[in-house]
Amino acid sequence: MSQDDCLFCKIVDGEIPADIIYESDTAIAFRDINPQAPAHVLIIPRKHIATINDLEEDDEAVIGSLFTAAREIAAQEGLSEQGYRTVINCNEAAGQTVFHIHLHLLGGRGFSWPPG
Ligand code: 5GP
Ligand code: ZN
């Protein structure tokens, strides 16, 4: 299930340390190493899925679990009322740099729209 050369699979497998703040059967979440907001958490499936383009129908529940994780983490971080941004970048033009799908949860400041 994990891919040998994938940084986030190594975090899932405990081979690389991370500040893990949430774990479920299907997902984990940890703080971004280079935060872009006072709260910046990456929520990832335990299963290696490279990009949104690689999703299969069987992955629907796993991807849904990233959003229920986001709801719980936002509540834990005290962000639910004020609001927060969730983002999944797909491929280079969108700025994806790690090819294991991840939902960014950003909060603790205001965010402009449209994004840059
Ligand atoms: P992307 O640009 O692919 O949407 O997001 C990748 C994110 O992973 C970036 O925000 C980057 O700071 C974060 N990141 C990259 N390497 C590591 C790492 O080793 N540990 C943690 N916690 N975050 C990382
Ligand atoms: Zn991976």
Side-chain angles (χ1 to χ4, degrees), residues 12-29:
V12 170
D13 292 340
E15 292 170 23
I16 289 179
D19 184 3
I20 295 171
I21 61 166
Y22 174 93
E23 291 190 78
S24 75
D25 288 349
T26 54
I28 71 167

PDB file of all heavy atoms in Angstrom, residues 12-29:
ATOM      1  N   VAL A  12       3.355   8.140   7.310  1.00  0.00           N
ATOM      2  CA  VAL A  12       2.315   7.173   7.708  1.00  0.00           C
ATOM      3  C   VAL A  12       2.950   5.967   8.397  1.00  0.00           C
ATOM      4  O   VAL A  12       2.448   5.476   9.417  1.00  0.00           O
ATOM      5  CB  VAL A  12       1.482   6.721   6.482  1.00  0.00           C
ATOM      6  CG1 VAL A  12       0.585   5.543   6.842  1.00  0.00           C
ATOM      7  CG2 VAL A  12       0.647   7.871   5.937  1.00  0.00           C
ATOM      8  N   ASP A  13       4.081   5.489   7.843  1.00  0.00           N
ATOM      9  CA  ASP A  13       4.734   4.284   8.368  1.00  0.00           C
ATOM     10  C   ASP A  13       5.608   4.562   9.586  1.00  0.00           C
ATOM     11  O   ASP A  13       6.219   3.640  10.136  1.00  0.00           O
ATOM     12  CB  ASP A  13       5.570   3.623   7.272  1.00  0.00           C
ATOM     13  CG  ASP A  13       4.694   3.040   6.171  1.00  0.00           C
ATOM     14  OD1 ASP A  13       3.493   2.815   6.418  1.00  0.00           O
ATOM     15  OD2 ASP A  13       5.212   2.811   5.052  1.00  0.00           O
ATOM     16  N   GLY A  14       5.729   5.838   9.988  1.00  0.00           N
ATOM     17  CA  GLY A  14       6.533   6.191  11.157  1.00  0.00           C
ATOM     18  C   GLY A  14       8.025   6.234  10.892  1.00  0.00           C
ATOM     19  O   GLY A  14       8.832   6.294  11.821  1.00  0.00           O
ATOM     20  N   GLU A  15       8.420   6.205   9.614  1.00  0.00           N
ATOM     21  CA  GLU A  15       9.853   6.217   9.273  1.00  0.00           C
ATOM     22  C   GLU A  15      10.435   7.626   9.307  1.00  0.00           C
ATOM     23  O   GLU A  15      11.652   7.797   9.431  1.00  0.00           O
ATOM     24  CB  GLU A  15      10.076   5.611   7.872  1.00  0.00           C
ATOM     25  CG  GLU A  15       9.778   4.127   7.813  1.00  0.00           C
ATOM     26  CD  GLU A  15       9.756   3.597   6.388  1.00  0.00           C
ATOM     27  OE1 GLU A  15      10.375   4.230   5.510  1.00  0.00           O
ATOM     28  OE2 GLU A  15       9.093   2.578   6.153  1.00  0.00           O
ATOM     29  N   ILE A  16       9.568   8.629   9.130  1.00  0.00           N
ATOM     30  CA  ILE A  16       9.972  10.038   9.220  1.00  0.00           C
ATOM     31  C   ILE A  16       9.068  10.681  10.265  1.00  0.00           C
ATOM     32  O   ILE A  16       7.850  10.470  10.239  1.00  0.00           O
ATOM     33  CB  ILE A  16       9.836  10.738   7.845  1.00  0.00           C
ATOM     34  CG1 ILE A  16      10.918  10.226   6.891  1.00  0.00           C
ATOM     35  CG2 ILE A  16       9.911  12.254   7.979  1.00  0.00           C
ATOM     36  CD1 ILE A  16      10.842  10.838   5.508  1.00  0.00           C
ATOM     37  N   PRO A  17       9.653  11.446  11.187  1.00  0.00           N
ATOM     38  CA  PRO A  17       8.827  12.040  12.239  1.00  0.00           C
ATOM     39  C   PRO A  17       7.950  13.178  11.727  1.00  0.00           C
ATOM     40  O   PRO A  17       8.297  13.857  10.750  1.00  0.00           O
ATOM     41  CB  PRO A  17       9.856  12.571  13.244  1.00  0.00           C
ATOM     42  CG  PRO A  17      11.120  12.724  12.482  1.00  0.00           C
ATOM     43  CD  PRO A  17      11.084  11.756  11.341  1.00  0.00           C
ATOM     44  N   ALA A  18       6.822  13.352  12.368  1.00  0.00           N
ATOM     45  CA  ALA A  18       5.921  14.471  12.063  1.00  0.00           C
ATOM     46  C   ALA A  18       5.119  14.751  13.332  1.00  0.00           C
ATOM     47  O   ALA A  18       4.983  13.878  14.199  1.00  0.00           O
ATOM     48  CB  ALA A  18       4.995  14.118  10.914  1.00  0.00           C
ATOM     49  N   ASP A  19       4.609  15.967  13.405  1.00  0.00           N
ATOM     50  CA  ASP A  19       3.791  16.372  14.552  1.00  0.00           C
ATOM     51  C   ASP A  19       2.347  15.944  14.265  1.00  0.00           C
ATOM     52  O   ASP A  19       1.529  16.727  13.794  1.00  0.00           O
ATOM     53  CB  ASP A  19       3.917  17.893  14.738  1.00  0.00           C
ATOM     54  CG  ASP A  19       3.176  18.393  15.966  1.00  0.00           C
ATOM     55  OD1 ASP A  19       2.612  17.565  16.707  1.00  0.00           O
ATOM     56  OD2 ASP A  19       3.166  19.623  16.169  1.00  0.00           O
ATOM     57  N   ILE A  20       2.077  14.664  14.526  1.00  0.00           N
ATOM     58  CA  ILE A  20       0.775  14.078  14.180  1.00  0.00           C
ATOM     59  C   ILE A  20      -0.266  14.500  15.222  1.00  0.00           C
ATOM     60  O   ILE A  20      -0.053  14.316  16.426  1.00  0.00           O
ATOM     61  CB  ILE A  20       0.888  12.545  14.083  1.00  0.00           C
ATOM     62  CG1 ILE A  20       1.807  12.176  12.903  1.00  0.00           C
ATOM     63  CG2 ILE A  20      -0.492  11.902  13.910  1.00  0.00           C
ATOM     64  CD1 ILE A  20       2.174  10.707  12.821  1.00  0.00           C
ATOM     65  N   ILE A  21      -1.364  15.069  14.747  1.00  0.00           N
ATOM     66  CA  ILE A  21      -2.390  15.577  15.678  1.00  0.00           C
ATOM     67  C   ILE A  21      -3.722  14.839  15.531  1.00  0.00           C
ATOM     68  O   ILE A  21      -4.662  15.130  16.267  1.00  0.00           O
ATOM     69  CB  ILE A  21      -2.613  17.100  15.502  1.00  0.00           C
ATOM     70  CG1 ILE A  21      -3.102  17.427  14.096  1.00  0.00           C
ATOM     71  CG2 ILE A  21      -1.335  17.863  15.835  1.00  0.00           C
ATOM     72  CD1 ILE A  21      -3.661  18.852  13.992  1.00  0.00           C
ATOM     73  N   TYR A  22      -3.804  13.910  14.588  1.00  0.00           N
ATOM     74  CA  TYR A  22      -5.074  13.206  14.360  1.00  0.00           C
ATOM     75  C   TYR A  22      -4.755  11.879  13.670  1.00  0.00           C
ATOM     76  O   TYR A  22      -3.896  11.838  12.776  1.00  0.00           O
ATOM     77  CB  TYR A  22      -5.971  14.049  13.451  1.00  0.00           C
ATOM     78  CG  TYR A  22      -7.250  13.366  13.015  1.00  0.00           C
ATOM     79  CD1 TYR A  22      -8.440  13.517  13.724  1.00  0.00           C
ATOM     80  CD2 TYR A  22      -7.255  12.547  11.876  1.00  0.00           C
ATOM     81  CE1 TYR A  22      -9.596  12.882  13.322  1.00  0.00           C
ATOM     82  CE2 TYR A  22      -8.418  11.901  11.469  1.00  0.00           C
ATOM     83  CZ  TYR A  22      -9.583  12.081  12.191  1.00  0.00           C
ATOM     84  OH  TYR A  22     -10.734  11.445  11.788  1.00  0.00           O
ATOM     85  N   GLU A  23      -5.440  10.826  14.079  1.00  0.00           N
ATOM     86  CA  GLU A  23      -5.282   9.529  13.415  1.00  0.00           C
ATOM     87  C   GLU A  23      -6.624   8.822  13.382  1.00  0.00           C
ATOM     88  O   GLU A  23      -7.360   8.824  14.367  1.00  0.00           O
ATOM     89  CB  GLU A  23      -4.291   8.646  14.177  1.00  0.00           C
ATOM     90  CG  GLU A  23      -2.863   9.128  14.113  1.00  0.00           C
ATOM     91  CD  GLU A  23      -1.889   8.086  14.668  1.00  0.00           C
ATOM     92  OE1 GLU A  23      -1.591   7.111  13.944  1.00  0.00           O
ATOM     93  OE2 GLU A  23      -1.473   8.250  15.820  1.00  0.00           O
ATOM     94  N   SER A  24      -6.947   8.218  12.247  1.00  0.00           N
ATOM     95  CA  SER A  24      -8.109   7.332  12.152  1.00  0.00           C
ATOM     96  C   SER A  24      -7.670   6.101  11.361  1.00  0.00           C
ATOM     97  O   SER A  24      -6.502   5.992  10.965  1.00  0.00           O
ATOM     98  CB  SER A  24      -9.270   8.043  11.452  1.00  0.00           C
ATOM     99  OG  SER A  24      -9.026   8.134  10.060  1.00  0.00           O
ATOM    100  N   ASP A  25      -8.615   5.205  11.113  1.00  0.00           N
ATOM    101  CA  ASP A  25      -8.284   3.992  10.348  1.00  0.00           C
ATOM    102  C   ASP A  25      -7.805   4.332   8.953  1.00  0.00           C
ATOM    103  O   ASP A  25      -6.995   3.605   8.374  1.00  0.00           O
ATOM    104  CB  ASP A  25      -9.525   3.096  10.220  1.00  0.00           C
ATOM    105  CG  ASP A  25      -9.874   2.427  11.526  1.00  0.00           C
ATOM    106  OD1 ASP A  25      -9.062   2.491  12.461  1.00  0.00           O
ATOM    107  OD2 ASP A  25     -10.969   1.826  11.597  1.00  0.00           O
ATOM    108  N   THR A  26      -8.330   5.432   8.395  1.00  0.00           N
ATOM    109  CA  THR A  26      -8.059   5.727   6.984  1.00  0.00           C
ATOM    110  C   THR A  26      -7.171   6.952   6.756  1.00  0.00           C
ATOM    111  O   THR A  26      -6.669   7.133   5.642  1.00  0.00           O
ATOM    112  CB  THR A  26      -9.387   5.977   6.240  1.00  0.00           C
ATOM    113  OG1 THR A  26     -10.110   7.000   6.933  1.00  0.00           O
ATOM    114  CG2 THR A  26     -10.225   4.715   6.169  1.00  0.00           C
ATOM    115  N   ALA A  27      -7.013   7.798   7.770  1.00  0.00           N
ATOM    116  CA  ALA A  27      -6.321   9.072   7.569  1.00  0.00           C
ATOM    117  C   ALA A  27      -5.453   9.434   8.764  1.00  0.00           C
ATOM    118  O   ALA A  27      -5.691   8.966   9.890  1.00  0.00           O
ATOM    119  CB  ALA A  27      -7.347  10.176   7.339  1.00  0.00           C
ATOM    120  N   ILE A  28      -4.452  10.261   8.497  1.00  0.00           N
ATOM    121  CA  ILE A  28      -3.707  10.899   9.586  1.00  0.00           C
ATOM    122  C   ILE A  28      -3.561  12.382   9.234  1.00  0.00           C
ATOM    123  O   ILE A  28      -3.699  12.773   8.064  1.00  0.00           O
ATOM    124  CB  ILE A  28      -2.311  10.274   9.841  1.00  0.00           C
ATOM    125  CG1 ILE A  28      -1.318  10.600   8.712  1.00  0.00           C
ATOM    126  CG2 ILE A  28      -2.410   8.776  10.057  1.00  0.00           C
ATOM    127  CD1 ILE A  28       0.127  10.288   9.077  1.00  0.00           C
ATOM    128  N   ALA A  29      -3.248  13.186  10.246  1.00  0.00           N
ATOM    129  CA  ALA A  29      -3.017  14.609  10.010  1.00  0.00           C
ATOM    130  C   ALA A  29      -1.852  15.070  10.870  1.00  0.00           C
ATOM    131  O   ALA A  29      -1.671  14.610  12.000  1.00  0.00           O
ATOM    132  CB  ALA A  29      -4.266  15.414  10.337  1.00  0.00           C
TER     133      ALA A  29
END
